[in-house]
Amino acid sequence: DVYKRQIMKGSGNEIDRRASRADFNQSNENMFRPEFQIKQGESEKNDKLWEIMSTYLANDNKTIQKNIVNHVEYTLAKTRFNFDSFGCYQAAALSVRDRLIESWNDTNQSFTEKDSKRVYYFSLEFLLGRAFQNALLNLQIEDNYKSALMELGYKLEQMYEEEHDPALGNGGLGRLAACFLDSLATLEYPAWGYGIRYDYGIFQQKIKEGYQVEVPDYWLNFGNCWEIERVDVVYPVRLYGHVDRTYHDGKEKCHWVGGEVVYAQAYDHPIPGFNTFNTLNLRLWKSRPATEFEFESFNKGDYFGAIQQRQRAEYITSVLYPNDSTNEGKELRLKQQYFFTCASLQDILRRFKKQKRSWKDLPEKVAIQLNDTHPALAIVELLRILVDEEELEMEYAFSLIYKVFAYTNHTVLPEALEKWSVDLLGHLLPRHLELIYKINFHFMEKVNSKYPGDFHRMNIMSIVEEGTPKKIRMANLCIVGSHTVNGVAFLHSELLKQTIFKEFYEMFPKKFLNKTNGVTPRRWVLAANPGLSELYNQECGTVDWARDYKLLVNIQDKAENPAFQKRWSDIKFQNKKRLVEWIRQNVPGVEINPNALFDVMVKRIHEYKRQFMNALYLVYRYLEIKNATPEQRKHMVPRAVFVGGKAAPGYINAKRIIKFINCIGDVVNNDRDIGDLLKVVFLPNYNVSNAQIIIPAAELSQHISTAGTEASGTSNMKFAMNGCLIIGTLDGANVEILEEIGDDNMFIFGAKVQDIQSLRVHMSQTEPREYWGPDLDRVFRVIRDGMFGHREELGQLLDTVCHKNDHYLVCHDFYSYLDAQKKVDEAYKNQAQWQACLLYTSDAADDLLCVDLGGRRIIKKKNRI
């Protein structure tokens, strides 16, 4: 009852969905879209549609310009007389989206026709970055659009700056999710992403008088050209309520009823693969009320009550990570997590049910990857659906779920493992709490069977944490409900097995795997570093290196070639000048010498990441310069130090670190005595677009977390692949980068993970001044004496390490950090050797970028200098 339909008889130009985009763009012929099976009897009514939509949009100048001006007039309702820069960006973006939608529709139709097993990536964050440039590069039409827009009187680079970063993520977890989608599309996996469409997302960071000030990020003020609103894809999500029970033939049946219902509406974002027609989907959910407006309340004069239900519903997707220091904030966070997992599962099961099949086929068609514990409730929600709605036996339903889910862990810090109070979870999701108890009961029986009478082990492994208040351990739930658990770097994965998940590993050793994170070279070199990309294009004779970094293997052979070094260093210098200009526009009053060593530390502000240690070193370096003779200063390396990142609104110490760095900058940058020997700049509102300017300019990047605290830290890879040396500890992915490039190309310092615990004991038993030593004593003294002002506040920051409480071993590692910094200065004086190191580092970084579905690295050993 099905047949294959010819789109255009005898055309011979039908294109494979995975064919090269570049080949299509260079062709002057029409390219016909793929053929799909359709049901018998639907032929005649679709004839005209098939004929009209049989070819892909062409990418010549005239067609592109026609598409753009059509959107100007017919979509934006503008005229040629008010065709401004932002309107041009919107129209151009919509014309690119048209091209994405063609491939996106064909891709998903292909998955449906082949009945492919699909992987669904669940993440509370997707830190996407701007879409315009990324789409043009992946579709291989950037030059086409540059030429077409130039003839219309606009520069493409100007259009890029009109786009606002989507505020859908915060740090590495969200950026990893975005890189994964890009790679899944490029590698042509059948995949979807699921998350939340935040109205404001993470806050916009302003710096006022040295303090971080959080303001809403109105990223949707002028709409989002890249999303497709799906008014027809809406699912109900129940909250609160109670559980009714009925009995039939001796079997209990549970019904979750009452409470309130909100609706989840879908917004789709096409995710293009690089140089392929494969285009995936990121589906984000926005909360809607069941009742938009209470007219009866309005008529009674209760105007707030008339819209109260709407406001309560819309709060759910308003802000990423609402402050959870209050009970209301905790409840809102839990609502967010359940809201998006509930809607996503309904969408997945709707797709699964399109074909007539048995539930036993579910693991053969659906794979769900949980990006950290935020989507953990998906395990329980799927169990509820299978047991309560589809009436499967509990044990059988859980056996299916176990094969569907896999879990990525992102932390080794016990305090960072997510837990929810039983009271809160039972109030918001009463049926889910019951199911969690049942899951835990059966699991505890298995643990007791394997380890009879080991109640200590059972207490550790239980999903339910006893105490006041009693809590649900979401990480334990993820492990129990998933067939695979992975860490995100080799050291991280080993620590999971040795520490926080030791008992689980002993019981399920085959469940735990390492999948070292990767990053996409499309965003972080091709888009971020046009000069370096062009050099790679020339050396390789193709842009395919952006898909297969191994094509750059010959670069290492030229690392010590003076002519090649000159080309390389010229590119770096231009990137440094670009960052200097960005600083002029965003940090007024600071002038940076582009000939200085650019030292960069940009990441989320946290005590374990040790921006505080960097700041203490800046004070030390400033004092050394001040005390140096004029002759000694002649031999000092000028250094411009840039620090950026956001602190969580409720994280007081992190915000004090930001203030401290700005206080140092205020003093150092205005001290004419030291001139360009040291500059300190805090880079505000660090995000993906800013990173694309900052990272290519860096010559030294700092990844200095206490060993054993950083899960992976993918920014080290981004810096390395842009030709930047690393100063860092043996933590996270630094360990594997060191394996690739050798310790001659990295500046490694600090305690090793196996020594951390004994060093903490030593710290707690040592007299403070003896512990922190004379150099730090001098640094502490000038801070407390008011050299940088704000004595009380900065004194409170010092108190976090000065009273036998230096948990992250800032003071202990400070002296090996000093030695590493001295090595940096000496190395930078030999520019030929420095450039050679940069080239080796950039080439070796490729080995950490080739990722499979779980992010596993594929290593090829390099020669080392």
Side-chain angles (χ1 to χ4, degrees):
D1 61 349
V2 294
Y3 68 100
K4 193 167 186 180
R5 170 174 176 74
Q6 293 293 327
I7 297 177
M8 185 79 63
K9 217 169 190 180
S11 67
N13 282 333
E14 291 83 1
I15 191 167
D16 189 287
R17 179 179 56 82
R18 297 173 297 175
S20 165
R21 277 276 183 184
D23 292 343
F24 167 45
N25 297 332
Q26 294 167 7
S27 172
N28 292 322
E29 298 181 6
N30 287 335
M31 198 63 73
F32 290 89
R33 296 170 68 176
E35 302 170 351
F36 297 106
Q37 294 177 333
I38 61 174
K39 294 179 181 179
Q40 187 73 35
E42 292 187 357
S43 172
E44 291 184 7
K45 69 177 182 180
N46 287 324
D47 274 349
K48 198 63 180 176
L49 287 176
W50 280 82
E51 181 182 341
I52 294 170
M53 303 171 69
S54 62
T55 61
Y56 286 109
L57 288 169
N59 291 316
D60 59 280
N61 273 20
K62 186 175 180 180
T63 303
I64 290 172
Q65 290 167 351
K66 184 66 174 174
N67 296 156
I68 291 172
V69 297
N70 279 348
H71 278 297
V72 169
E73 184 147 23
Y74 304 128
T75 306
L76 304 178
K78 290 178 177 285
T79 72
R80 72 192 88 171
F81 306 109
N82 66 345
F83 183 29
D84 58 7
S85 179
F86 183 67
C88 184
Y89 154 70
Q90 289 179 300
L94 289 166
S95 72
V96 176
R97 193 189 74 166
D98 292 343
R99 287 156 172 78
L100 293 180
I101 289 174
E102 291 178 332
S103 296
W104 178 57
N105 282 331
D106 289 345
T107 298
N108 284 293
Q109 186 62 38
S110 174
F111 294 157
T112 299
E113 186 174 273
K114 294 176 181 177
D115 197 19
S116 304
K117 179 177 182 177
R118 304 195 197 196
V119 58
Y120 298 99
Y121 197 81
F122 280 25
S123 180
L124 204 61
E125 295 184 41
F126 286 93
L127 195 56
L128 297 171
R130 292 170 175 169
F132 192 19
Q133 183 185 22
N134 185 71
L136 292 179
L137 289 170
N138 278 8
L139 297 180
Q140 292 284 274
I141 54 175
E142 186 180 40
D143 289 341
N144 308 54
Y145 266 76
K146 183 178 292 186
S147 173
L149 286 167
M150 185 65 71
E151 291 180 9
L152 292 174
Y154 292 93
K155 291 184 178 180
L156 181 59
E157 293 75 14
Q158 181 185 4
M159 299 299 98
Y160 291 156
E161 296 304 314
E162 295 288 351
E163 184 176 359
H164 199 302
D165 271 46
L168 299 171
N170 179 28
L173 182 145
R175 187 52 229 172
L176 171 70
C179 282
F180 256 121
L181 290 187
D182 178 276
S183 293
L184 287 165
T186 298
L187 298 174
E188 295 159 353
Y189 283 101
W192 280 56
Y194 281 105
I196 292 178
R197 180 187 183 268
Y198 301 101
D199 293 331
Y200 304 110
I202 196 65
F203 59 87
Q204 187 175 11
Q205 182 193 55
K206 302 283 189 181
I207 302 298
K208 295 185 178 180
E209 298 181 354
Y211 293 97
Q212 170 181 291
V213 177
E214 304 93 23
V215 298
D217 188 349
Y218 300 106
W219 74 284
L220 289 169
N221 256 10
F222 300 100
N224 178 9
C225 299
W226 302 98
E227 68 183 8
I228 297 99
E229 182 180 8
R230 293 298 199 185
V231 294
D232 57 327
V233 182
V234 179
Y235 297 104
V237 177
R238 187 179 301 279
L239 302 167
Y240 309 109
H242 61 277
V243 180
D244 284 344
R245 288 172 172 79
T246 58
Y247 297 88
H248 183 69
D249 294 335
K251 290 185 178 181
E252 181 185 73
K253 183 170 176 58
C254 295
H255 307 269
W256 180 24
V257 296
E260 68 180 60
V261 173
V262 298
Y263 284 95
Q265 181 184 343
Y267 286 76
D268 291 342
H269 290 245
I271 306 294
F274 175 74
N275 200 19
T276 172
F277 282 78
N278 203 61
T279 301
L280 300 182
N281 190 37
L282 170 60
R283 177 157 284 179
L284 303 175
W285 302 103
K286 179 175 176 60
S287 53
R288 299 287 193 197
T291 303
E292 286 278 346
F293 187 77
E294 290 283 352
F295 200 74
E296 185 176 347
S297 298
F298 184 82
N299 284 339
K300 292 177 180 178
D302 184 6
Y303 304 129
F304 177 75
I307 60 170
Q308 187 174 17
Q309 187 174 348
R310 175 179 175 178
Q311 288 182 323
R312 280 171 55 84
E314 292 181 347
Y315 285 154
I316 296 174
T317 56
S318 289
V319 179
L320 169 64
Y321 297 142
N323 190 332
D324 62 354
S325 60
T326 65
N327 290 332
E328 291 79 7
K330 290 182 176 67
E331 182 174 310
L332 183 55
R333 280 206 185 192
L334 188 57
K335 277 184 181 179
Q336 287 183 337
Q337 295 181 9
Y338 176 65
F339 170 82
F340 102 88
T341 55
C342 174
S344 301
L345 285 171
Q346 290 182 73
D347 200 46
I348 291 168
L349 295 181
R350 174 192 58 79
R351 199 170 295 116
F352 174 77
K353 288 180 174 181
K354 278 185 175 180
Q355 304 285 344
K356 290 183 179 180
R357 43 176 145 233
S358 166
W359 282 109
K360 70 179 176 60
D361 296 327
L362 184 66
E364 303 305 315
K365 296 301 176 184
V366 174
I368 299 176
Q369 188 74 33
L370 305 176
N371 192 24
D372 213 356
T373 56
H374 306 131
L377 286 169
I379 295 169
V380 192
E381 172 65 6
L382 184 53
L383 182 63
R384 185 193 68 80
I385 292 171
L386 295 181
V387 172
D388 292 356
E389 297 180 10
E390 302 298 335
E391 300 184 353
L392 272 61
E393 292 294 331
M394 175 79 72
E395 188 174 346
Y396 177 56
F398 194 78
S399 71
L400 297 177
I401 290 168
Y402 186 82
K403 296 174 185 176
V404 165
F405 286 99
Y407 161 52
T408 298
N409 172 274
H410 284 272
T411 185
V412 292
L413 304 178
E415 65 271 19
L417 294 175
E418 196 171 40
K419 302 173 185 178
W420 293 108
S421 78
V422 165
D423 290 343
L424 172 59
L425 209 153
H427 173 61
L428 187 68
L429 304 168
R431 178 56 176 156
H432 296 74
L433 181 61
E434 292 181 355
L435 291 171
I436 288 171
Y437 275 122
K438 289 188 177 183
I439 294 169
N440 195 52
F441 175 78
H442 291 297
F443 179 61
M444 287 292 97
E445 285 190 324
K446 291 180 181 178
V447 175
N448 191 49
S449 175
K450 188 172 179 66
Y451 305 98
D454 192 342
F455 299 111
H456 176 69
R457 181 183 295 270
M458 291 176 67
N459 182 53
I460 292 172
M461 298 178 73
S462 173
I463 298 171
V464 182
E465 179 181 86
E466 300 297 333
T468 306
K470 189 178 290 189
K471 295 181 179 179
I472 302 300
R473 298 164 169 155
M474 305 308 280
N476 289 20
L477 173 61
C478 287
I479 297 171
V480 172
S482 300
H483 61 79
T484 301
V485 177
N486 73 277
V488 291
F490 176 76
L491 177 61
H492 172 229
S493 297
E494 291 302 301
L495 287 172
L496 292 180
K497 294 186 286 187
Q498 296 166 14
T499 58
I500 56 176
F501 298 148
K502 178 176 179 289
E503 290 77 13
F504 285 101
Y505 175 66
E506 290 170 350
M507 187 168 178
F508 307 109
K510 294 183 180 179
K511 178 180 286 199
F512 287 81
L513 302 173
N514 176 55
K515 302 286 186 181
T516 296
N517 284 347
V519 298
T520 166
R522 273 81 63 187
R523 170 71 67 175
W524 296 111
V525 179
L526 191 62
N529 201 337
L532 185 58
S533 299
E534 183 56 32
L535 177 64
Y536 285 168
N537 291 346
Q538 293 170 7
E539 291 299 316
C540 297
T542 175
V543 74
D544 287 347
W545 59 265
R547 180 187 175 102
D548 182 4
Y549 232 55
K550 291 189 288 294
L551 295 175
L552 298 176
V553 68
N554 66 317
I555 298 294
Q556 194 179 67
D557 299 331
K558 300 182 179 183
E560 299 184 44
N561 181 308
F564 191 82
Q565 283 189 5
K566 177 67 167 57
R567 295 169 65 192
W568 179 277
S569 62
D570 286 347
I571 292 167
K572 178 64 74 174
F573 189 70
Q574 291 304 314
N575 289 332
K576 291 171 73 175
K577 288 170 65 177
R578 183 174 61 156
L579 176 57
V580 168
E581 182 57 35
W582 184 91
I583 290 170
R584 284 197 188 106
Q585 295 174 10
N586 293 277
V587 190
V590 182
E591 278 299 320
I592 302 298
N593 177 7
N595 291 301
L597 166 59
F598 277 24
D599 174 348
V600 179
M601 186 177 189
V602 285
K603 53 188 74 219
R604 181 167 52 93
I605 308 295
H606 198 289
E607 287 167 286
Y608 86 80
K609 294 179 183 287
R610 300 202 294 192
Q611 289 96 343
F612 184 35
M613 185 165 68
N614 187 3
L616 293 172
Y617 169 71
L618 292 175
V619 175
Y620 171 86
R621 189 177 183 94
Y622 175 61
L623 296 176
E624 289 292 289
I625 296 170
K626 292 291 287 183
N627 293 329
T629 65
E631 185 61 29
Q632 289 172 326
R633 292 187 185 186
K634 289 179 183 178
H635 301 285
M636 290 182 169
V637 174
R639 192 182 294 208
V641 180
F642 309 107
V643 182
K646 297 177 180 179
Y651 193 172
I652 302 302
N653 271 347
K655 297 175 87 167
R656 284 175 179 156
I657 291 169
I658 293 174
K659 175 61 177 174
F660 183 29
I661 293 167
N662 281 299
C663 288
I664 296 169
D666 288 343
V667 173
V668 170
N669 300 340
N670 292 294
D671 189 339
R672 296 183 181 180
D673 180 43
I674 67 167
D676 288 337
L677 285 177
L678 182 62
K679 296 291 183 184
V680 178
V681 181
F682 189 87
L683 305 173
N685 201 42
Y686 183 61
N687 59 24
V688 174
S689 295
N690 295 343
Q692 289 181 216
I693 297 172
I694 296 164
I695 291 173
E699 295 170 290
L700 179 74
S701 64
Q702 303 210 31
H703 308 274
I704 59 177
S705 53
T706 310
T709 59
E710 185 73 85
S712 176
T714 54
S715 65
N716 47 16
M717 303 176 198
K718 298 163 193 168
F719 280 100
M721 65 200 292
N722 277 278
C724 176
L725 298 191
I726 291 172
I727 181 170
T729 52
L730 287 174
D731 197 26
N734 281 356
V735 176
E736 288 150 286
I737 293 177
L738 180 66
E739 288 178 7
E740 289 306 301
I741 66 177
D743 54 13
D744 289 335
N745 297 316
M746 286 182 75
F747 302 98
I748 295 296
F749 73 93
K752 296 182 179 178
V753 67
Q754 62 267 28
D755 301 324
I756 295 298
Q757 196 54 43
S758 62
L759 288 170
R760 284 174 176 156
V761 173
H762 171 74
M763 175 268 297
S764 68
Q765 297 174 350
T766 305
E767 196 278 326
R769 277 189 170 77
E770 180 185 340
Y771 169 67
W772 68 58
D775 287 329
L776 266 181
D777 190 64
R778 179 171 59 127
V779 169
F780 291 165
R781 191 168 59 253
V782 299
I783 295 169
R784 291 192 187 275
D785 287 346
M787 177 177 281
F788 303 98
H790 303 274
R791 294 172 59 174
E792 182 178 352
E793 187 170 7
L794 298 185
Q796 290 172 338
L797 185 57
L798 294 182
D799 288 342
T800 63
V801 298
C802 287
H803 301 288
K804 298 185 178 184
N805 57 345
D806 184 14
H807 182 75
Y808 295 110
L809 300 179
V810 169
C811 300
H812 175 273
D813 280 357
F814 184 79
Y815 290 92
S816 60
Y817 182 50
L818 283 187
D819 291 339
Q821 291 284 12
K822 290 172 184 175
K823 292 176 183 177
V824 170
D825 285 333
E826 288 305 309
Y828 198 72
K829 292 174 183 177
N830 184 343
Q831 275 297 298
Q833 186 65 15
W834 183 273
Q835 295 298 331
C837 289
L838 295 182
L839 285 160
Y840 276 99
T841 302
S842 176
D843 184 29
D846 74 344
D847 295 326
L848 294 163
L849 307 175
C850 305
V851 296
D852 67 10
L853 267 177
R856 179 179 58 215
R857 65 195 177 101
I858 304 167
I859 287 184
K860 171 186 168 190
K861 293 296 180 185
K862 304 281 185 188
N863 296 324
R864 297 171 178 170
I865 61 172

